[in-house]
Amino acid sequence: MKNRAPFLIAATAFLAAPALATSSEQDSFFANIAAHCGKAFEGKITAGDSADSAFSGKKLVMHVRECSDNELKIPFHVGEDHSRTWVITKTATGLRLKHDHRHEDGSEDKVTMYGGDTDSNGTAQWQSFPVDAYSINNFKENGLAQSVTNVWHVGINDDTYVYRLTRENRDFKVDFDLSKPVALPPTPWGHE
């Protein structure tokens, strides 16, 4: 009974950090993306409509820029617009995809950190992220009611990285060619 402090400290630290509970499929998916860390790739729109006109005729580049054991940050550059970063995180229930949107001065956009969590194991090549409650509220507060049923999908194989957004009457998809790395883009807005 003499010196229980180390045990209590260790037990407290263990309880404070939630256990990560990604499936083997999700771990493989995460590792498949992380294998490209430090590289950038050009993409093209392979599905879309007039709602996606902001992407038309612009160079589309994804950059697997920051990789840790539990988080990937992947800026998505649209021409000279460096406002978007996809953030994929391991959580206690699977994987989470968030969209970090910034202004040129680095400040957060009012519509930012939206996304969702996986609700199935998915595969090592494909994961889907249905919209979460935070995002639904953010969309409603900012006049984007059409987005409250969004599902984002991310796919990866040896040759292609896919980013896809689906909802009723919307299917937007960009395919990035992983076989041809391109020059690294500028630092995304709001990041160092």
Side-chain angles (χ1 to χ4, degrees):
M1 290 277 216
K2 257 205 270 196
N3 194 353
R4 295 177 72 188
F7 172 76
L8 292 175
I9 291 169
T12 303
F14 177 75
L15 293 174
L20 301 178
T22 49
S23 68
S24 61
E25 295 91 347
Q26 292 166 339
D27 286 338
S28 294
F29 171 83
F30 192 93
N32 287 340
I33 297 172
H36 297 283
C37 202
K39 297 178 184 171
F41 307 94
E42 192 166 347
K44 62 180 179 180
I45 297 173
T46 55
D49 60 27
S50 60
D52 307 308
S53 60
F55 298 90
S56 297
K58 295 185 178 150
K59 186 173 183 177
L60 306 176
V61 175
M62 62 162 287
H63 177 195
V64 186
R65 186 172 188 268
E66 294 180 45
C67 306
S68 72
D69 290 342
N70 300 319
E71 186 175 75
L72 304 171
K73 290 188 177 178
I74 308 166
F76 174 38
H77 302 268
V78 178
E80 297 303 312
D81 181 342
H82 310 292
S83 65
R84 301 167 177 87
T85 299
W86 300 316
V87 182
I88 299 174
T89 309
K90 292 183 179 181
T91 72
T93 58
L95 294 175
R96 173 173 294 146
L97 171 67
K98 289 291 184 170
H99 298 72
D100 182 353
H101 282 239
R102 304 292 181 106
H103 296 287
E104 194 166 0
D105 66 3
S107 62
E108 288 187 347
D109 192 275
K110 61 184 178 179
V111 180
T112 190
M113 298 314 288
Y114 60 85
D117 294 348
T118 53
D119 62 1
S120 73
N121 290 339
T123 71
Q125 295 79 33
W126 193 259
Q127 295 288 326
S128 295
F129 304 87
V131 66
D132 61 22
Y134 166 83
S135 304
I136 290 171
N137 290 336
N138 183 277
F139 291 147
K140 286 180 177 177
E141 288 171 4
N142 289 288
L144 298 170
Q146 71 276 13
S147 299
V148 300
T149 59
N150 282 1
V151 180
W152 296 273
H153 314 271
V154 177
I156 186 166
N157 61 36
D158 291 341
D159 302 319
T160 310
Y161 178 96
V162 176
Y163 171 84
R164 186 175 186 186
L165 163 65
T166 59
R167 66 173 180 248
E168 189 174 348
N169 298 318
R170 181 95 190 270
D171 187 356
F172 172 72
K173 186 168 79 138
V174 183
D175 292 352
F176 296 88
D177 184 353
L178 297 180
S179 70
K180 298 176 188 168
V182 298
L184 298 182
T187 301
W189 298 340
H191 298 264
E192 295 182 12

